[in-house]
Amino acid sequence: MRLKRTVTCGQLTTKNIGEEVILNGWVAKNRDHGGVIFLDLRDRYGKTQITFNPDLDAKMADRAKRLGMEDVIAIKGMVTARPGGNVNANLPTGEVEVIVSELEVLNEAEPLPFLVSDRESGNEELRLEYRYLELRTSELQNFMKIRSRTYQSARRLLNAEGFMEFETPVLMKSTPEGARDYLVPSRIHQGKFYALPQSPQTYKQLLMIAGFDKYFQIVKCFRDEDLRADRQPEFTQIDIEMSFIDQDDIMGLATRVTQGIFKEVLDYQLPETFPVMDYHDAMEIYGSDKPDIRFELPLIEFATYAEKTEFSVFKDNLAGGGRVKALILKNAADHYSRKILDELTEWLKTYYGLKGLAFIKVEQGAFAAGISKFFSAELQTEIIGNLALKDNDIMFFVSDDEARTLQALGALRIELAKRENLIPETDIKPLFVTNFPLLDWDEDSQRYIAMHHPFTSPNPEDIELMTSDPGKVRARAYDLVINGYEVAGGSIRIHTRQMQSRMFELIGMDEEEANARFGFLLRAFKYGAPPHGGIAFGFDRLIMLLAGTDNIRDVIAFPKTTSAASLMDDAPSFVDEDQLRELHIKLME
RNA sequence: GGGAUCGUAGUUCAGUUUGGUUAGAACGCCGGCCUGUCAAGCCGGAGGUCGCCGGUUCGAGCCCGGUCGGUCCCGCCA
């Protein structure tokens, strides 16, 4: 190219008036007045108005007339103050314009499938097909800048803490405990497969055994599971592991890293320490292991009152080991018509398997509507007094088995908060959730499965329970939760062969199977494994919070759709017979 | 695996409730006018397999069945 830029499109101000400059960029807009022609020239640094005047060069003005949106051009010209009254206050460069003396058209663009100036001008399917165009929009340019700054910030902070950065294999052994693996067939080893890592878990533990006591990696992870608004099949973690530490050390580090990132990327000051909540309390009070604590609206234990009602649903559920919990919305009963209550009920039935949603409203100091007739006058007075209910309050009740009650009411808590505008959108409220159960009973396979992963250390106080009541054993595991998103999760690991074998036993994995799958790790434990533990940040979710978006696709340059496809390059796709033959693979009909 | 919802000019949408002649608007595109705009303005034009397949009907963008694709959710995500 002939005209190489001397400045970017975002930097010219009145200070540059009188300078001759060269700009390169995309035509963002062409405003042709018949005589004078204004173009907005855009690059990732900003926009600058360039002006063609036929009085100065009629031929060039004619060429400028033909320039269309997203053409790539280079211009040389003089930085000039805009005439009085023509300043654009919305643009940092709005006080100046460049009067063009030379024009080089670097590449013309065809008519566009949607407007780069307006992200909403194309639906998502189309934008994903032309993702490189969507990435030109100011919104995604900004998200990618935040992402880039966050990489740098994380690296700087961890480096300052004395961590070493590593890379671990992407082609690894399949370990079919946990999420479904993405498999890669081996050409050389007929019939054998590599797996893409769900996380570099075992490698980082082996690096601890190797003596690299502070490890980190910004790493892609792959999980072949169904997608959500905050889940992609390939996603990025800031993976961290440390030796000779305890849970508090990891939580402290995670706190400092999170604070540092929010400070450096957003100049947002998070609290000095993050609150710590028991898993049990999170479930009981918020109905979630990743509670959004930007607003209160706690779940209320209602069993003792429910016992005194005449409502058989409550009493039967309690008798059968189920639960009754409630939510109170203050001064909002008039927002909940029959129609809206029916919609909420239908939603809870459909998604959370509830049989119904009960409610009462408070009117003139007593219960009204819903299931109020099942409460005696004395009971109503008692509840109104104890729970400080006022007129126009509405109380929702969910009663089912424990898991369903907590999950459904937790979901209702969020839904009601949205409807009532109770969520301070700009707040950032982190907390740690700790003391997760070590094991989860799996009905399908009639055995315990590891809730976090099978390398998680049990709480030393609960070792006895491993024999007597495994379901009660707490894990030394912790999640960092921000605004209802699980942003990071980790644990103190098992570091002795004995304990690891015991854990495998508990989840019903016999020695042979354990050796086949994790023998390399078990063997390593025999040669001086230090106590260690770590945490992994869901990098994309962290960016979502920093960017203020609720969609993970917004913060990934080339994301996949809900069906794990890439609309731009059409992956996945069929491959040649030759390729399959080389891999010893035959497709089933 | 299941549920909900969407699919109509290049694009965003209206039209579907109640089936009926030529499927509209805006933006973009093309042409013309216009010398200070910044969502520039004014005039004109081109542009449609109503996602696809099948059915009902004298007649389907509209009704029915299926299918493909997008999104959101449940299951799943150690």
Side-chain angles (χ1 to χ4, degrees), chain A residues 438-439 448 454 456 458 460 462-470 473 494 496-511 514 522:
Chain A
L438 183 69
L439 302 163
Y448 283 107
T456 301
D462 297 348
I463 298 289
E464 295 299 312
L465 290 168
M466 289 181 83
T467 348
S468 58
D469 191 356
V473 178
I494 295 166
T496 65
R497 201 201 139 100
Q498 293 84 343
M499 180 57 79
Q500 189 62 65
S501 297
R502 206 161 162 202
M503 181 68 186
F504 284 144
E505 235 171 83
L506 268 178
I507 60 172
M509 200 188 289
D510 62 31
E511 207 173 314
L522 292 173

Side-chain angles (χ1 to χ4, degrees), chain A residues 369-541:
Chain A
I371 58 166
S372 52
K373 68 176 171 185
F374 298 104
F375 294 73
S376 68
E378 300 83 60
L379 185 56
Q380 292 188 15
T381 310
E382 183 190 345
I383 294 170
I384 288 172
N386 287 354
L387 301 179
L389 298 179
K390 296 272 186 313
D391 281 2
N392 201 32
D393 289 353
I394 182 168
M395 196 168 183
F396 296 92
F397 308 95
V398 167
S399 180
D400 209 298
D401 63 43
E402 179 163 294
R404 242 197 284 265
T405 301
L406 295 176
Q407 191 200 7
L409 205 54
L412 182 63
R413 172 178 174 269
I414 306 279
E415 178 60 27
L416 293 176
K418 283 181 186 160
R419 283 171 181 267
E420 297 298 317
N421 270 322
L422 299 178
I423 308 176
E425 295 290 344
T426 54
D427 279 14
I428 309 279
K429 284 281 162 76
L431 77 151
F432 284 103
V433 177
T434 62
N435 285 324
F436 284 81
L438 183 69
L439 302 163
D440 225 357
W441 180 253
D442 182 49
E443 283 295 337
D444 292 340
S445 53
Q446 287 291 303
R447 64 175 180 105
Y448 283 107
I449 53 174
M451 189 158 176
H452 186 55
H453 57 55
F455 315 108
T456 301
S457 164
N459 188 320
E461 295 165 28
D462 297 348
I463 298 289
E464 295 299 312
L465 290 168
M466 289 181 83
T467 348
S468 58
D469 191 356
K472 286 251 157 59
V473 178
R474 291 168 298 170
R476 282 200 277 176
Y478 31 82
D479 280 355
L480 172 61
V481 175
I482 305 181
N483 295 3
Y485 287 102
E486 183 193 326
V487 165
S491 63
I492 301 301
R493 325 297 182 190
I494 295 166
H495 69 281
T496 65
R497 201 201 139 100
Q498 293 84 343
M499 180 57 79
Q500 189 62 65
S501 297
R502 206 161 162 202
M503 181 68 186
F504 284 144
E505 235 171 83
L506 268 178
I507 60 172
M509 200 188 289
D510 62 31
E511 207 173 314
E512 195 184 340
E513 194 183 353
N515 273 323
R517 290 185 182 183
F518 300 111
F520 61 102
L521 186 65
L522 292 173
R523 185 182 349 171
F525 282 159
K526 292 197 286 191
Y527 299 107
H532 62 283
I535 192 163
F537 285 77
F539 188 75
D540 312 282
R541 286 184 190 161

Side-chain angles (χ1 to χ4, degrees), chain A residues 167-293:
Chain A
E167 288 182 79
T168 54
V170 169
L171 297 176
M172 65 178 286
K173 184 182 169 68
S174 173
T175 54
E177 185 82 8
R180 198 176 290 115
D181 281 328
Y182 275 100
L183 294 177
V184 180
S186 164
R187 174 182 56 85
I188 296 168
H189 302 277
Q190 183 166 353
K192 291 184 177 179
F193 293 82
Y194 301 98
L196 304 180
Q198 300 171 23
S199 86
Q201 182 62 34
T202 49
Y203 290 116
K204 66 176 177 176
Q205 291 193 246
L206 291 162
L207 286 169
M208 291 304 107
I209 294 170
F212 297 105
D213 61 347
K214 291 179 173 182
Y215 145 101
F216 88 98
Q217 176 174 204
I218 297 179
V219 61
K220 272 289 180 74
C221 302
F222 305 85
R223 294 178 189 176
D224 189 2
E225 298 292 346
D226 288 342
L227 280 67
R228 286 289 187 284
D230 65 345
R231 275 178 9 203
Q232 282 273 304
E234 54 177 306
F235 61 97
T236 304
Q237 288 189 343
I238 309 173
D239 195 40
I240 294 170
E241 196 79 2
M242 298 170 82
S243 294
F244 310 116
I245 43 77
D246 224 319
Q247 181 164 315
D248 290 342
D249 299 300
I250 305 280
M251 284 162 60
L253 174 81
T255 303
R256 293 194 297 281
V257 168
T258 308
Q259 281 167 348
I261 286 173
F262 272 86
K263 182 74 190 161
E264 290 180 13
V265 175
L266 287 190
D267 198 26
Y268 187 97
Q269 188 62 54
L270 288 172
E272 199 54 35
T273 56
F274 300 166
V276 179
M277 189 181 296
D278 241 58
Y279 168 81
H280 178 266
D281 294 339
M283 293 307 294
E284 288 293 332
I285 300 170
Y286 298 99
S288 169
D289 62 357
K290 43 181 184 351
D292 188 344
I293 59 167

